[in-house]
DNA sequence: GAGAAAAATGTAAGCGCTTACATGAGCGAG
DNA sequence: CTCGCTCATGTAAGCGCTTACATTTTTCTC
């Protein structure tokens, strides 16, 4: 029962079973023929020694890590956690471990990413977490790479969720409420959010309105709160479209504190449909992103790249869903 | 500029620099003396070849993975994501990658855990995600192990957050509101939650009340909703203490749907203080867990175990904080 | 029952590094 | 100028596996 501290090697198994290490390897991996009796003896030895192959040995010899990386900015909001969840689930099914790397507050991101790239068979990177030249370096190294929520990158797959059409839908919905003075909460990040602002600007323009300049803020509840205080203190917009739900929740908090009613005095919308959106007061109108699916698809795409079952880079856009709740105003004519 | 697909090895660097691989290794790792000129030549070759050492080679030769594992049940709620966040941050600082493993819906958990254990220098496991015999196996193998939110395990560190005293505090607070008929939402899981129920039961008993039997439910909003419907349909309790915030949010939803006012008709409390707790309607009285800190401490404890800077297993209990909001009733005498 | 093909097993060369030990070069002291 | 050190560097043995190839054993076929 008492195991030695160090676990057994394939040599010890071979010796105990009275065969060569090659036979042990074959018996265990099923590559090459092994007589039934021999296999049994090997398995018994494996059992008795509680042998598990060293991953390092296996990986070094076979040339694959059986691990994938994923790089995201943060894990504090629900967004990335959900994507990660979907990713891990699929990756694990495909027999790959997942190594995570969060860049928030990290100084030497390029080094960390390079380091990560040396211990995986492929990796997923969220848009805007890693400098373009580093991404290019990864691509050039031949490492299979999938980008999430980013515009196309030569040599890498891209998986993102639909922004343009859903943002337009949201804008039209708000126009339908009769709002004309809009504010956009959350600056550009050159990724998803820029697409949304552009699309909303377009719709507003089509309706003869001057598209507002997005007001930058941190994509957190606190960031939204701070921005909300300032947006709601001056000449008040009728509707504040927020870059994500967390910002929207912060803006709602600010409105509440200023004694303003939502949506009575100002309509507020978010993006993502995180858990808190449903439970907020008022419940938040938002656009549901298929976050888990995003991760799952990234994992599948990456697997295809790694196994080489697909040659050309692919680019997937996953549809989103407008979720209308109370924060954008009363809805006499119920819309799906 | 055009790199070959496969990245360079230490041999190519050595050749280019006109030295032996040993010298390259020494120059790069700073082990052993290297003449300034030589070092320079090596570094130039490294630069030109864009050489990065193969992790597998390094690990196999040096015997360390420079990676830690973490096993959790799920990533869908905010709880585990926050812990993971704190964990990754510290682990990364300490130069260790983090490999994650989520057990939710996974069939062969023991195999997955064993597999993980072969590719890390140490791992963290959340209580109740892995069978006790598998945990024992890991411990026996000599792999440094830290358990989170679990009662003590021989041979492993334990990091958990305080439950007994904070649960008692919560119970006393509710008694102070005058509530006498309690319900406990969420069954035992033999970990944190059992401790809380026990403590609450104790306090109620001390006050001459019969402690209620906890009603099992899934630890999700949906689980809480389902249980809430049933708890609130029969003879109604005055206060429902929920195992975590998600359950509490579900119960609030159920109450709302049944036309009951919270806290007017029934008081509801959660546990964890997730983001949605603050934004819920009504805002949720709950107990804040230092989730990020939990992860950070686990990472540090694990590091001590791995480097051997500490010999005896340690057991840390992190204090929690009662957060009183609206969902448990009006508070004439403001309590900290 | 001999010979050939098929099946089973063994041998040994890596995979890309680290590092103990051996060797060689440079330098001050006598 | 030589001896004995010290500093630099090279050599080679692993680390624990996989796998191509060589070798031995079985199993058929006629």
């Amino acid at each position: 029962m008492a195991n030695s501290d160090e676990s057994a090697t394939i040599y010890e198994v071979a010796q105990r079973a009275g065969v060569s290490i090659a036979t042990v390897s074959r018996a265990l991996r099923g590559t090459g023929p092994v007589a039934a009796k021999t296999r049994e003896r090997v398995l018994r030895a494996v059992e008795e020694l509680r042998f598990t192959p060293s991953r390092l040995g296996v990986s070094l010899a076979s040339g694959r890590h059986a691990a994938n990386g994923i790089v995201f900015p943060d894990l504090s909001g629900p967004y990335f956690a959900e994507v990660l969840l979907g990713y891990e689930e699929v990756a694990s099914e495909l027999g790959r471990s997942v190594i995570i790397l969060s860049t928030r507050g990290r100084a030497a991101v390029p080094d960390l990413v390079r380091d990560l790239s040396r211990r995986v068979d492929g990796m997923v990177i969220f848009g805007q977490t890693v400098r373009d030249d580093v991404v290019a370096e990864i691509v050039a190294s031949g490492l299979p790479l999938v980008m999430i929520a980013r515009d196309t990158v030569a040599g890498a797959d891209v998986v993102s969720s639909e922004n343009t059409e859903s943002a337009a839908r949201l804008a039209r919905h708000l126009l339908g409420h009769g709002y004309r003075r809009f504010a956009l909460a959350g600056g550009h990040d050159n990724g998803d959010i820029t697409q949304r602002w552009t699309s909303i600007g377009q719709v507003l323009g089509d309706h003869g309105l001057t598209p507002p300049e997005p007001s930058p803020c941190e994509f957190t509840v606190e960031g939204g709160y701070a921005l909300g205080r300032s947006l709601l203190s001056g000449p008040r917009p009728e509707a504040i479209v927020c870059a994500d739900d967390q910002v929207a929740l912060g803006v709602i908090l600010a409105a509440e504190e200023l004694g303003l009613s939502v949506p009575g005095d100002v309509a507020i919308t978010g993006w993502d449909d995180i858990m808190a959106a449903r439970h907020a007061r008022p419940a938040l109108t938002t656009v549901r992103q298929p976050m888990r699916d995003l991760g799952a698809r990234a994992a599948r795409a990456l697997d295809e790249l790694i196994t080489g079952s697909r040659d050309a880079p692919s680019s997937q856009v996953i549809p989103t869903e407008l979720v209308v709740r109370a924060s954008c105003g009363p809805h006499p004519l119920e819309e799906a």
Side-chain angles (χ1 to χ4, degrees), chain A residues 70-73 101-104 108-114 116 123-139 145-148 150 153:
Chain A
I70 182 166
V71 182
F72 43 79
L101 173 60
S102 160
T103 61
R104 191 185 71 123
V109 172
D111 287 338
L112 291 171
V113 171
R114 261 188 287 264
L116 176 59
M123 61 199 274
V124 169
I125 301 182
F126 272 91
Q128 315 312 318
T129 53
V130 176
R131 287 201 325 250
D132 280 9
D133 60 316
V134 179
V135 170
E137 191 183 316
I138 303 279
V139 169
L145 176 62
V146 174
M147 302 290 303
I148 293 187
R150 198 216 204 267
V153 180

Side-chain angles (χ1 to χ4, degrees), chain A residues 179-185 212 215 227-241 251 255 258 260-268:
Chain A
Y179 306 127
R180 289 297 176 270
R181 294 196 311 281
F182 288 80
L184 307 182
S215 314
L227 178 58
R229 300 265 331 183
S230 103
L231 283 179
L232 294 169
S233 302
R236 196 192 314 144
E238 293 168 328
I240 301 181
V241 178
V251 174
L258 293 169
L260 296 172
S261 136
V262 178
D265 295 317
V266 57
I268 292 172

Side-chain angles (χ1 to χ4, degrees), chain A residues 198-280:
Chain A
T198 306
S199 175
I200 290 175
Q202 194 115 41
V203 171
L204 298 186
D206 290 351
H207 285 253
L209 302 173
T210 310
E213 195 57 32
S215 314
C217 76
E218 258 199 87
F219 297 142
T220 61
V221 173
E222 285 64 36
Y225 172 80
L227 178 58
R229 300 265 331 183
S230 103
L231 283 179
L232 294 169
S233 302
R236 196 192 314 144
E238 293 168 328
I240 301 181
V241 178
C242 302
D244 71 20
D245 285 349
Q246 300 194 65
V247 172
L249 293 172
V251 174
I252 289 181
L253 245 37
E256 191 171 81
E257 202 171 293
L258 293 169
L260 296 172
S261 136
V262 178
D265 295 317
V266 57
I268 292 172
T269 67
W271 201 288
D272 286 352
D273 196 22
I274 65 177
M275 190 197 310
R278 175 183 174 195
H279 299 279

Side-chain angles (χ1 to χ4, degrees), chain A residues 241-322:
Chain A
V241 178
C242 302
D244 71 20
D245 285 349
Q246 300 194 65
V247 172
L249 293 172
V251 174
I252 289 181
L253 245 37
E256 191 171 81
E257 202 171 293
L258 293 169
L260 296 172
S261 136
V262 178
D265 295 317
V266 57
I268 292 172
T269 67
W271 201 288
D272 286 352
D273 196 22
I274 65 177
M275 190 197 310
R278 175 183 174 195
H279 299 279
R281 151 200 41 194
L284 200 54
T285 289
T286 188
V287 175
R288 178 175 306 151
Q289 287 212 61
M291 306 183 264
R292 210 169 291 193
D293 196 36
L294 215 53
R297 285 185 193 232
R300 292 226 172 70
L302 187 55
D303 185 64
E304 293 171 4
L305 250 33
I306 294 171
T307 61
S309 67
R310 177 162 49 73
D311 37 356
S314 89
S315 171
Q316 306 180 48
V317 176
I318 312 182
T320 58
E321 181 190 353
L322 178 62

Side-chain angles (χ1 to χ4, degrees), chain A residues 13-99:
Chain A
V13 174
Q15 183 171 32
R16 183 165 196 124
V19 298
S20 73
I21 61 167
T23 300
V24 174
S25 177
R26 279 188 289 253
L28 256 34
R29 321 189 75 234
T31 86
V34 175
K37 269 187 177 169
T38 310
R39 180 192 321 282
E40 203 176 306
R41 253 184 313 145
V42 169
L43 293 182
R44 183 138 27 86
V46 165
E47 187 72 18
E48 290 167 357
L49 263 39
R50 293 189 174 295
F51 169 76
T52 326
S54 149
R55 259 261 59 97
L56 290 175
V58 174
S59 290
L60 187 57
S62 68
R64 44 190 92 270
H65 296 265
N68 288 170
I70 182 166
V71 182
F72 43 79
D74 199 349
L75 212 53
S76 64
Y79 176 79
F80 297 108
E82 282 287 316
V83 176
L84 180 54
L85 176 62
Y87 182 67
E88 196 270 347
E89 186 164 352
V90 172
S92 180
E93 252 168 37
L94 295 170
R96 308 177 184 287
S97 292
V98 172
I99 304 183

